[in-house]
Amino acid sequence: MDVLDRLAEERINQAERDGVFDDLPGAGQPLVLDDDRDVPPALRAGYRLLKNSGFLPPELEIRRELQSVESLLARADLANAERDRARKRLVLLQTRLGESRLGRGLRGAGAAYESELHRRLGRRD
């Protein structure tokens, strides 16, 4: 451990002893971590940056809209015309998702990522 690491560690320990971290928001609560294990490591930082800026990859936007349309269809008070429009929108979104990289699964994830995943899972396709 170099001098800078020791100094930082010492200051963190002193702040902890002084109770600086006691009243932080979420203290004592479990961390809510993003599940990004399905995203290739090379893309994680970029996806996280986009997400923190309020942007989502197109596939995830489609999935979000799919959930919205599905919840709309689940409502019992929709008129027939509204229900028909919602069903058509649902089919369109499902088609778009099927055509997208995420909907196709590993075929769009890249050959290197796919082969590494197969290697880790013990498959040889």
Side-chain angles (χ1 to χ4, degrees):
M1 193 183 285
D2 68 359
V3 175
L4 189 58
D5 288 337
R6 263 188 271 140
L7 181 62
E9 192 68 30
E10 184 180 311
R11 290 214 176 167
I12 291 170
N13 289 335
Q14 183 61 42
E16 188 174 21
R17 285 190 298 272
D18 293 343
V20 173
F21 303 129
D22 291 346
D23 296 327
L24 292 175
Q29 300 296 319
L31 291 175
V32 178
L33 302 174
D34 291 335
D35 183 12
D36 60 357
R37 63 181 165 224
D38 293 332
V39 177
L43 298 177
R44 287 183 187 156
Y47 273 38
R48 191 171 296 121
L49 179 68
L50 288 171
K51 181 181 177 216
N52 291 341
S53 299
F55 295 96
L56 285 176
E59 297 89 356
L60 295 180
E61 282 289 340
I62 292 171
R63 285 189 186 267
R64 178 184 284 173
E65 195 172 346
L66 262 171
Q67 289 174 341
S68 171
V69 172
E70 286 171 344
S71 67
L72 179 69
L73 280 171
R75 288 186 13 213
D77 62 343
L78 283 180
N80 285 340
E82 285 180 288
R83 186 173 299 280
D84 288 342
R85 276 196 305 272
R87 282 191 182 127
K88 287 177 184 176
R89 182 74 181 153
L90 183 66
V91 169
L92 174 67
L93 291 170
Q94 288 170 335
T95 303
R96 281 188 186 165
L97 185 62
E99 293 171 353
S100 72
R101 181 170 48 94
L102 189 62
R104 288 191 316 258
L106 294 175
R107 289 183 305 217
Y113 178 63
E114 182 177 1
S115 65
E116 175 64 15
L117 188 58
H118 284 292
R119 185 188 67 74
R120 287 188 183 190
L121 294 174
R123 290 178 40 196
R124 300 191 199 308
D125 291 341

